[in-house]
Amino acid sequence: MSLLEVTDLRVSFPTADGIVQAVRGVSFAVERGRTLGIVGESGSGKTVLTQSLLGLTPGGQISGTAVFDGVNLVGLEPKSMQRIRGKDIAVIFQDPLTSLHPLYKVGWQITEMIRAHDKSVSKKQAMERAVELLGHVGIPRPRERVNDYPHQFSGGMRQRVMIAMAISLSPKLIVADEPTTALDATVQAQIIDLLLRLQRESNTALMMITHDLGVVADIADEVMVMYAGRAAEKASKRDIFYQPHHPYTKGLLESIPRSSAAAERLKPITGQPPSLIRLPSGCAFHPRCAYVMDRCLTDQPELVPVAEAGEHRSACWLPAAATGLSDDVEELRRRTVEMGRTDEAAKVAEKIAAAPESEGSVIA
Amino acid sequence: MSDLLNGQAPAGPEADAGDDVLIRADNIVKYFPVKGNGLVRRTVANVQAVDGVSLTVKRGQTLGLVGETGCGKSTLARCIAGLIPVTSGKVYFEGKDITNLPRRTMQPFRREIQMIFQDPYGSLNPRRRVGAIIGDPFAVHKTATGSERKKAVQELMERVGLNPEHYNRFPAEFSGGQRQRIGVARALALRPKLIICDEPVSALDVSIQAQVLNLLSDLQSEFGLSYLFIAHDLEVVRHVSDAVTVMYLGRVAESGPGNQVYDHSRHPYSTALLSAAPAADPDAAAERQRVLLTGDVPSPIHPPSGCRFHPRCPKAQDLCGTTEPALENKAGDPSTHLTACHFPVEAGEDLARVGRREQS
Amino acid sequence: MSITEVEFQATAVENAPVKSIEGRSQWQLTWRRLRGDKIAIISMVVIIIIVLAALAAPLVASATGHGVYQAFPNNGLTADGAPVGPGVHGFILGTDNTGRDLLVRILYGARISLFVGVFTTLLGAVLGVSVGMIAGYFGGWVDTILARLIDAVLAFPFIVLALALAAVLNPSLWIVVGIIAFFAWAGIARIVRGQTLALKEKEYIEAARSLGAGPWRIMFVDILPNLLGPVLVLATLFIPTAIGVEATLSFLGIGIPPPAPSWGNILNAAQDYYQVDPWFVIFPAAALLITTLAFNLLGDGIRDAMDPRTERIFAGRKTGRRKNGKRGKGLNLDNALLVGEQATMTVDHPVAPGEES
């Protein structure tokens, strides 16, 4: 059984302007010792998704189930959730400064963390453990540095402290929400290296939420691409990068500048993500999709398998065979779209083709 | 220390005349004083943000400036744009010395040098309408008024891919990418020759980032613009740049034609930086040998002696701690490829292995 | 601002529904929020009534036939020479100690109070904004001098100065205005200076400088619009203070000189009669109380309406509007769900900039 099994999770926030449907029926599983990368842009719901699992979405209406180690996290009372959070599920945020208390020494914060979940540990033992942990995550002179305050650490070192705190209770699952986004490339490389090493050592499961496909390429085993609160595509890392099926995944990959095609023109995705209050009909991606067909305007595609072997799933009306980046596949896509497109969809497609470089109006 | 270091002849302004050099920064030094707490608030130290950097941007070309937080790239950009006075050094625009000019004398050059900022939220005044923001350059330079200005602004909006009917809206009503387009339109208004882009796409989503990069490249060919393009994303810089300068802790580590620096980097720092950049390609990521640097970037208040990179450099020897390497052409490199290193990386050398041996 | 926040804001902007997208200024947004605040709206109505009543003072005087300086010793005073109570002999609120119509006196007094309140605030705001903005923007020795000046004025013992001035000069309306304005500007200047220091670091100011805009243009075009919100709140909250100070000075006999009516000098005259005719005290005191309270509540309302952090838009979870929102930092989910326009308005928070960080 998977360590975490999420089924049809939905999160919405009633606001004065309407209901924000942040997460709209997402299912996935995280296995022990594996890394699931969740990729998405602003407003894709990836952050709300993970926060809702941890009971960190006040005011949100959550439905569905999220079974972690036999316990359903959805609707769990705050006390039990608190016990799980930190002990069994550890969280690493993008900005460690907001999660570390500025007025306490980091050693104290780690020992508190340890002792809050296990009172039998003495202060001295906990401090020893803190020193050991800081050393383990690569902080030089840990015995001295336990007595430093968070602001005395650099950004990368602070993230290491956060990681030390996260692994202090040997969690079964680490949720990392953009842990390297605020860091420079060389420091980011160090942190990713550290996370990979820790995971190998302890067989911890890792959920990595990021907007950076580069980070995913480095660290993930499986990848889920999110768009407008739903999973667009879910597959092994290699399938996502080399055999993408969903046009959004393909679009993301093509919009990254690559060294192999330095002089070529980038192919951005036109338009911008939709409002989560007034979502487009059918497939939420259709107003930006170059392969828009009639049924995309009316029917919402489910996440279905697109390959016989393995677990490659995509939520797109294109045929399962339209997987990959080769010219043949592109030809198949083109032919499919030609057949499946009449008036309405043709108009949408025209609009997309007419303004390839503009983001369109606010009122998309 | 400077002229020697640059490896370039300390050419005067006449060197640029008739040349295709648009802007030349010569041995720029920018120190920010650190004041003491005493009554007199004496200067107790200096943040050596930029310490002797020279660069040139050629007409119609893009110079990419890369480096990590605190390397001084943004400070350098502001020195070149004349937004902050330089401590020493010279900035020449089309051969004319524009260093530390008073505001009024600088005014004609402001029309030629514009800036695009990183933060699409912070760089637009939330209280002003988009039309007024984009029309600002016309108002400041009194080049167009009334309906003429409105027309010019709407043309600009159309050109950068915004709906001209949104003239009366406030910045908050636009998304991040659209706001960055507003910033581009404002920078474009006076038809400048040089646009300094300070991390123009760092705050944007990947798909939107590509839209803005394409827009910038279209504008470059349409108006013959030159860009000084600052970013920490190496792939983005590679994509847009003709030439690249890598900075570390206030100094230039390496500079040269883009492909040269990216594919045949000679400075160990450039090599490490390039190897650390995340590539959206799992196989490449698995194959790649990362040069993992140890430690943090030292404080620019007390930079290391000699080569500033030496405490973190896998190839460092005693010489590196005592003698500052000159930025010079290394044997076998094209003449425009300059490296400031005593022991440059040789072709085929595996720095990652060197690094591992050092660490163990 | 962290990148997460940026992302949240971006999401929020994109999520803003169509109806909220038409080009709206901060004032329209503020007004929309203010409209939902019952207390503020009631206060506003009360203030409008007071203003109308003050304007109508001459009409009331002619309708009742009682001039503001006109004493009615025959039917306006009791046999003992004490003022009469409300309703007696056609004096709706009774009379004062010399037999003048209290209602007419209070209405004319309202004119003085409102004039002093609004005019001194305007004067103080113009001066305070100018000084604060110049000090904050230019910095250096200009700032050093102006900041010391502000501190000096704020440290000045107010009543002592008022008493001293009154002793030297004859009390008059203009001296009252001068004294109040003199103290009004410094408080505003101090806050404006702080705000300007913060605004000066914004990237859009740098953008304006890179366009070649000069310091005055930057101050008026870029900084001032961002200051108007906080200054409006400060001003609204200063009006009742000014009214109170005028009343205090007049009560002490160093403000508006009788026979000109002011709530303060009416109260001064009334203090000997509170046992004989309590209404003589109650009516002017109530006028003063209601007016200052209304302005204060309206000011609070405007402040809340301008500060997005006090508005929680989760339906059914509308929490303490007036708690002057310091909510849990950590996740910033609240910001996430504010519509974009609100989320970017934090500059407006009319408190000392120190609190922001």
Side-chain angles (χ1 to χ4, degrees), chain A residues 24 280-286 295-301 317:
Chain A
R24 305 184 294 135
S281 61
C283 171
F285 186 60
H286 88 253
R295 65 190 310 190
C296 307
L297 274 58
T298 48
D299 304 336
Q300 179 165 282
W317 291 121

Side-chain angles (χ1 to χ4, degrees), chain B residues 222-274:
Chain B
E222 189 175 333
F223 299 107
L225 292 168
S226 306
Y227 291 130
L228 176 59
F229 194 99
I230 300 161
H232 67 269
D233 186 325
L234 295 162
E235 288 301 332
V236 167
V237 170
R238 173 172 211 170
H239 181 81
V240 300
S241 304
D242 300 296
V244 174
T245 293
V246 182
M247 280 183 75
Y248 183 78
L249 210 57
R251 296 235 171 100
V252 173
E254 186 166 1
S255 76
N259 289 338
Q260 193 66 28
V261 173
Y262 274 79
D263 297 335
H264 310 283
S265 65
R266 300 301 302 275
H267 198 288
Y269 175 67
S270 319
T271 311
L273 193 61
L274 286 164

Side-chain angles (χ1 to χ4, degrees), chain A residues 41-42 154 184 186 188 190 193 217-218 238 241-242 259 262 264-266 268-269 271-272 357 359-360 362, chain B residues 68-69 175 177-178 181 205-207 211 214 218 235 238-239 278-283 285 288 290 292-293 296:
Chain A
E41 298 184 289
S42 309
S154 67
D184 280 321
T186 56
Q188 175 171 318
Q190 293 171 358
D193 205 56
D218 266 329
R238 289 202 47 133
F241 281 93
Y242 301 125
S259 45
E264 271 176 38
R265 194 174 172 75
L266 298 172
I269 304 173
Q272 56 177 341
E357 295 301 317
E359 275 183 72
V362 184
Chain B
E68 297 180 291
T69 314
S175 70
Q178 289 173 319
R181 287 168 191 268
D205 274 325
V206 193
S207 65
Q211 294 175 357
N214 277 352
D218 290 347
E235 288 301 332
R238 173 172 211 170
H239 181 81
D281 186 342
D283 288 349
R288 168 184 51 188
R290 272 199 164 135
L292 283 182
L293 296 177
D296 286 331

Side-chain angles (χ1 to χ4, degrees), chain C residues 114-198:
Chain C
L114 290 174
F115 171 77
V116 170
V118 173
F119 188 71
T120 56
T121 304
L122 270 179
L123 218 61
V126 169
L127 204 65
V129 168
S130 311
V131 172
M133 205 159 66
I134 288 170
Y137 186 77
F138 285 108
W141 60 267
V142 177
D143 182 39
T144 310
I145 292 172
L146 291 177
R148 291 289 163 279
L149 187 68
I150 293 168
D151 288 345
V153 170
L154 288 175
F156 221 90
F158 164 71
I159 291 290
V160 174
L161 178 85
L163 284 170
L165 273 175
V168 180
L169 308 159
N170 288 326
S172 80
L173 175 64
W174 295 109
I175 289 183
V176 171
V177 167
I179 291 173
I180 299 175
F182 179 73
F183 286 101
W185 74 267
I188 292 175
R190 192 177 57 169
I191 289 170
V192 165
R193 174 181 170 269
Q195 294 269 344
T196 308
L197 281 174

